[in-house]
Amino acid sequence: MDNQLVESIVNEVIKRVQEETCFEVEASGKHVHLSRKDIDSLFGEGYQLTKAKDLSQPGQYACKERVTLIGPKGSLHNVVVLGPERKESQVEVSLTDAVVLGVPVPVKESGKLEGTPGIVIASGRNVIRLDCGLIAAQRHIHVKAEDAEKLNVTNGEIVQVKVNGKRPLIFDDVLVRVSPNYETYMHIDYDEANACGFMKGTKGKILK
């Protein structure tokens, strides 16, 4: 076997190994998760959210319903509601969105709402005020349990990820969330997506 053929085979093996440890990156825009109580208050008693399309994470979906977020300085219109309903309402925006609203928004892990600011939410018919729940979501990777060993990560670990967009960069402080109920995707917000030149199909790789 000549050296050129050996080198070709080795390069192909390396390429396949690298592809197996890469994962797709998704950019997540501003959105709202609502509790049963807040769905009733905004849309009417017993109202059922209307699924528009499924998302990458099993059981999660975008709804046809849209709301307006109202802050001290400005508003964000046409904000999508995600289903299914949650135990507590949560609103996720980028730090640029937070400037528009005029609210200092902390970077938090989803679901960690203690000490977060509130926000006013309006539907076409009603208005509510959340006492807390407004966050900029910490960038994170949903990892399917069977992929955790391949990626050499554990639940709750903080890692660095190189994202190969049009302007490749390394993201620090990326939270790993492992569950058998997940599909493996990294989630960043639109500020982060713009910074790395994100486009659909962009891949990331954990740096160890």
Side-chain angles (χ1 to χ4, degrees), residues 90 92 106-114 116 135-140 155-156 158 175-177 182:
Q90 176 176 299
E92 298 180 34
V107 177
K108 287 271 197 176
E109 178 184 351
S110 178
K112 306 291 187 181
L113 306 182
E114 184 177 353
T116 57
I135 66 168
Q138 181 178 2
R139 46 187 172 250
H140 56 279
N155 186 52
I158 301 295
L175 174 67
V176 175
R177 303 175 66 186
Y182 291 156

Side-chain angles (χ1 to χ4, degrees), residues 31-35 37-38 69-70 86-93 103-106 108-121 128-136:
H31 59 271
V32 175
H33 301 277
L34 294 172
S35 66
K37 171 179 171 290
D38 291 334
L69 305 179
I70 304 170
R86 288 197 174 184
K87 183 178 179 181
E88 292 183 280
S89 292
Q90 176 176 299
V91 178
E92 298 180 34
V93 299
V103 182
V105 177
K108 287 271 197 176
E109 178 184 351
S110 178
K112 306 291 187 181
L113 306 182
E114 184 177 353
T116 57
I119 189 69
V120 174
I121 305 176
I128 63 171
R129 175 172 180 82
L130 302 183
D131 293 329
C132 67
L134 181 64
I135 66 168

Side-chain angles (χ1 to χ4, degrees), residues 171-186:
F171 283 112
D172 202 355
D173 196 32
V174 182
L175 174 67
V176 175
R177 303 175 66 186
V178 179
S179 169
N181 299 320
Y182 291 156
E183 291 295 333
T184 302
Y185 286 86
M186 180 177 177

Side-chain angles (χ1 to χ4, degrees), residues 21 147-154 157 159 176 206 208:
T21 56
D147 289 341
E149 184 175 355
K150 179 175 67 178
L151 297 177
N152 189 27
V153 293
T154 57
E157 187 175 354
V159 297
V176 175
I206 292 170
K208 286 274 189 175

